[in-house]
Amino acid sequence: MTIEIGLMLTGMLAIGFFAQWLAWRVKLPAILFLLLAGIVLGPIGHVLDPDKLLGPLLFPVVSLSVALILFEGSLTLRFSELSGIGHVVRGLVSYGAVVALLLLAAAAHYLAGLGWDLSLLFGALTCVTGPTVIMPMLRTLRPNARIANTLRWEGIVIDPLGALFAVLIYEAIVSRHQGHAVGVFLGTVLGGVICGGVAALALAFLLRRQFIPEYLQNYGTLAIVLLSFTLSNTIAHDSGLLTVTIMGIALGNLRDVHVDDILDFKEHLTVLLVSMLFILLAARLSWPLPPGTLWAGIAIFLVAQFVVRPITVLVSSIGSGMGWRDRALISWVAPRGIVAASVSALFALRLSHLGVAGSEVLVPLVFILIIGTVVLQSATARPLARWLKVAEPDPRGVLIFGSDAVARAIGKALSEAGFHILLADDDWDGIRRARMEGLSTFYGNPASAHADRHLVLAGIGQMLGLSTHRERNSLACLHYQQEFGREKVYRLRNLAPQETNHRNALNDRLLVPALFEEGMTHARFAEWLIRGWRIKSTGLTATFDWPHFIEQYGSTSILMFGIDEKGVLRVAAERRELEPRPGWTVIALVPPEASA
């Protein structure tokens, strides 16, 4: 039995990894492949039976996993950022969310026959999008910046707010079915709010006073979150989810509390939990579904796609001045994700134990809506964006990590050549200078969790690591290899090959191609700029080809980039020598004595 459990768990771990990897390769939300894997293993293949595998541990495992997922999601909500997210987003996450909740509840009540209590819970669960489903879709969709920002911010903000709605409605349902008075429900809510607030303040105190060493902060946070969840459930029954949600929101908005490293750890942990959890949850589905559930789920999906979302966007965008084309695409894109799947499954487990009628169809209805929205919108959103003429062209832009004189000079040259350039760095002085020179900027480390949520990569297809911080430069390049591909990421050396020894050299597998000629370093490039070298852009013709360029500007000129006849940017790098041809535009670093 022990071997069987071990084999099952490790098999789920491997399948979860494959589903996440496949999602990354095809740029689709991972939840789609995780749910499909669970359905194949469970109701179709009868290979995995979660109830038999985990027995009495199933509910605690699901509960603790969902608690961490809700905490991680709520930790990203920053009230200070709400004022700058725009009229449409504020509408979508406030009164627009309420409209969506009520319309989805009505659909569940009239199409699936759920009682109004479960219908409202269904509406609260399914009015939520989220970053984990929106961001992969935006990478494929590539809409204009206005649409991308609206959808991205909606997912970030409504994720924790929707979870809070769902938890409150769930608490009301449980309180009513247990015969409790309104005072008991209010006591449960108050207990969850107080426990969450106290836990957040306690953790913040420990972090501020550095009573927890840095290497134990992630471990300590994990322990305190789960301890708060279980203690809150003991003090006020079923208040734990509200506690961790309030705790995350409070901790994320307290001043002088640095949670970036904690959030980064929680995001990695959430990937693992989501991968295992969703396979388990999908495997618990019974097949065939309860009578009428499949058709009711499809009907609700169609109503959600073609009625609820357009009405929500229309109501939220009144008075915003947003064009109808932008509204149309935003109305089409609203995939459901992690909160809907995980929380609905946990609630269904609890409600079925209480004997709440209809709880057995809650998860199938939610899963049908998730799969339907992800599949339909992933397949059709890009063609629709092109038809509406709101899609960005093929990503020709360049992300540059760095903002010193070298990064600004290269960025300015590429910008003048017609490419969208975005400089990202956490050096405020360099970012300020870049802005004064008219370059687009992002203040922050482009490989950080903050950048994953806030850095807009619409129109960006390549990355140049030009930072003076050697290790961070390499890490950023590795990070964006996953985003753009191995052939689209380059770095400028910080050390020449002869200056690097085996003690400080990175493993060859961690290196990306070095920019420009062999031996070119950041320091050398900066020194040459100071000595008067300049970046020159010139179009080549049949009568003025690359040899003529070298003859005019000197054999010491260094080829940096080439722009071919189709406007594609080609990068000169070690072991990837360019051969400029007539019709190209070349960008080169030329010596000060070269003729104009």
Side-chain angles (χ1 to χ4, degrees):
M1 183 64 179
T2 304
I3 296 177
E4 181 184 350
I5 293 177
L7 183 61
M8 283 289 185
L9 292 177
T10 53
M12 287 169 53
L13 191 66
I15 293 171
F17 166 78
F18 177 74
Q20 293 278 0
W21 176 85
L22 183 60
W24 165 70
R25 289 295 299 176
V26 301
K27 292 183 171 60
L28 287 177
I31 189 174
L32 174 64
F33 300 102
L34 293 169
L35 293 181
L36 292 177
I39 292 172
V40 170
L41 292 174
I44 294 179
H46 302 290
V47 176
L48 176 62
D49 184 352
D51 295 88
K52 181 180 177 182
L53 179 66
L54 297 178
L57 292 178
L58 177 63
F59 186 77
V61 167
V62 174
S63 299
L64 294 174
S65 299
V66 172
L68 288 173
I69 291 171
L70 289 183
F71 174 75
E72 188 270 332
S74 59
L75 197 62
T76 62
L77 180 60
R78 302 288 194 274
F79 291 132
S80 60
E81 297 171 341
L82 295 181
S83 60
I85 59 178
H87 176 87
V88 178
V89 180
R90 284 196 295 273
L92 287 171
V93 301
S94 55
Y95 53 86
V98 175
V99 170
L101 187 156
L102 295 176
L103 291 176
L104 288 165
H109 177 72
Y110 291 110
L111 295 176
L114 295 180
W116 277 113
D117 50 359
L118 279 184
S119 296
L120 289 171
L121 179 60
F122 176 85
L125 290 167
T126 55
C127 72
V128 177
T129 60
T132 55
V133 285
I134 284 293
M135 296 308 293
M137 194 170 290
L138 287 180
R139 294 186 185 106
T140 303
L141 173 57
R142 298 202 303 272
N144 61 44
R146 183 170 53 254
I147 295 174
N149 285 332
T150 299
L151 292 172
R152 182 172 55 88
W153 271 109
E154 179 195 10
I156 290 171
V157 177
I158 204 173
D159 203 31
L161 290 181
L164 186 58
F165 291 161
V167 169
L168 290 174
I169 293 174
Y170 165 76
E171 299 290 358
I173 294 174
V174 170
S175 181
R176 186 173 72 85
H177 278 270
Q178 290 182 331
H180 295 158
V182 176
V184 176
F185 164 69
L186 294 178
T188 300
V189 173
L190 184 62
V193 172
I194 292 174
C195 288
V198 169
L201 291 174
L203 180 57
F205 175 80
L206 296 175
L207 294 175
R208 282 172 178 156
R209 298 299 180 91
Q210 297 183 346
F211 286 143
I212 304 177
E214 186 172 350
Y215 79 97
L216 284 178
Q217 286 182 2
N218 290 329
Y219 187 178
T221 301
L222 177 66
I224 291 174
V225 170
L226 295 181
L227 183 62
S228 301
F229 172 74
T230 53
L231 286 179
S232 179
N233 276 338
T234 303
I235 296 170
H237 198 55
D238 286 326
S239 63
L241 292 179
L242 182 58
T243 292
V244 295
T245 303
I246 296 297
M247 182 181 176
I249 294 175
L251 191 65
N253 287 277
L254 289 174
R255 293 183 178 180
D256 302 324
V257 180
H258 301 288
V259 297
D260 288 344
D261 291 339
I262 295 173
L263 185 57
D264 189 49
F265 168 72
K266 289 292 182 294
E267 288 177 341
H268 287 89
L269 182 61
T270 299
V271 171
L272 175 62
L273 291 176
V274 165
S275 301
M276 301 285 282
L277 183 62
F278 285 0
I279 292 175
L280 276 175
L281 298 179
R284 291 191 75 251
L285 289 174
S286 59
W287 189 265
L289 297 175
T293 301
L294 178 60
W295 296 112
I298 294 174
I300 292 173
F301 155 65
L302 294 175
V303 170
Q305 181 71 42
F306 295 100
V307 179
V308 176
R309 180 63 174 180
I311 291 176
T312 302
V313 174
L314 178 63
V315 170
S316 303
S317 60
I318 293 176
S320 67
M322 179 176 283
W324 73 269
R325 297 176 186 273
D326 293 346
R327 292 186 189 186
L329 188 62
I330 294 173
S331 298
W332 188 254
V333 179
R336 275 61 173 186
I338 286 177
V339 169
S342 59
V343 180
S344 65
L346 177 61
F347 289 172
L349 280 172
R350 176 63 175 150
L351 294 174
S352 64
H353 292 160
L354 294 176
V356 178
S359 59
E360 71 279 358
V361 303
L362 182 63
V363 174
L365 291 178
V366 170
F367 282 15
I368 290 172
L369 184 58
I370 291 172
I371 294 173
T373 54
V374 171
V375 171
L376 177 66
Q377 294 168 20
S378 297
T380 60
R382 179 64 179 174
L384 179 62
R386 287 174 172 168
W387 182 75
L388 291 171
K389 298 180 180 179
V390 295
E392 289 284 339
D394 292 336
R396 300 173 60 246
V398 181
L399 172 67
I400 294 177
F401 180 22
S403 60
D404 69 331
V406 172
R408 297 198 304 273
I410 294 176
K412 193 171 183 179
L414 292 174
S415 179
E416 291 174 351
F419 293 93
H420 170 46
I421 303 301
L422 179 62
L423 265 67
D425 200 357
D426 53 7
D427 175 14
W428 173 247
D429 184 63
I431 289 294
R432 180 180 59 82
R433 292 174 181 270
R435 290 177 180 176
M436 292 177 64
E437 294 177 15
L439 295 169
S440 299
T441 63
F442 173 82
Y443 178 52
N445 185 341
S448 66
H450 175 78
D452 285 341
R453 297 188 299 275
H454 302 286
L455 180 57
V456 179
L457 295 176
I460 302 290
Q462 298 191 68
M463 187 265 188
L464 304 179
L466 305 180
S467 172
T468 55
H469 300 280
R470 178 167 169 260
E471 288 78 11
R472 292 167 63 187
N473 206 37
S474 298
L475 290 174
C477 290
L478 287 173
H479 178 80
Y480 283 95
Q481 277 187 336
Q482 301 177 15
E483 183 73 33
F484 302 135
R486 188 173 295 273
E487 305 296 320
K488 300 292 185 179
V489 178
Y490 304 87
R491 65 187 171 92
L492 185 57
R493 288 184 183 273
N494 296 106
L495 296 174
Q498 63 271 19
E499 298 173 330
T500 305
N501 58 51
H502 69 279
R503 294 182 182 273
N504 59 20
L506 293 174
N507 190 297
D508 288 342
R509 294 175 300 170
L510 302 180
L511 295 178
V512 298
L515 285 167
F516 315 140
E517 67 177 16
E518 185 177 357
M520 173 58 72
T521 64
H522 190 285
R524 181 178 298 177
F525 201 109
E527 180 186 355
W528 287 358
L529 287 179
I530 294 174
R531 289 167 51 188
W533 287 59
R534 57 195 174 92
I535 299 177
K536 175 71 175 176
S537 177
T538 302
L540 301 181
T541 65
T543 57
F544 187 82
D545 55 12
W546 178 243
H548 286 92
F549 182 97
I550 293 296
E551 181 181 347
Q552 178 169 337
Y553 292 102
S555 59
T556 57
S557 297
I558 299 171
L559 178 62
M560 299 167 58
F561 306 99
I563 306 170
D564 65 17
E565 302 90 339
K566 298 180 180 179
V568 176
L569 180 67
R570 299 180 180 273
V571 181
E574 291 183 6
R575 298 184 297 276
R576 293 184 184 178
E577 186 176 351
L578 291 184
E579 296 181 2
R581 297 192 295 268
W584 284 32
T585 297
V586 293
I587 300 176
L589 185 66
V590 299
E593 63 271 14
S595 59

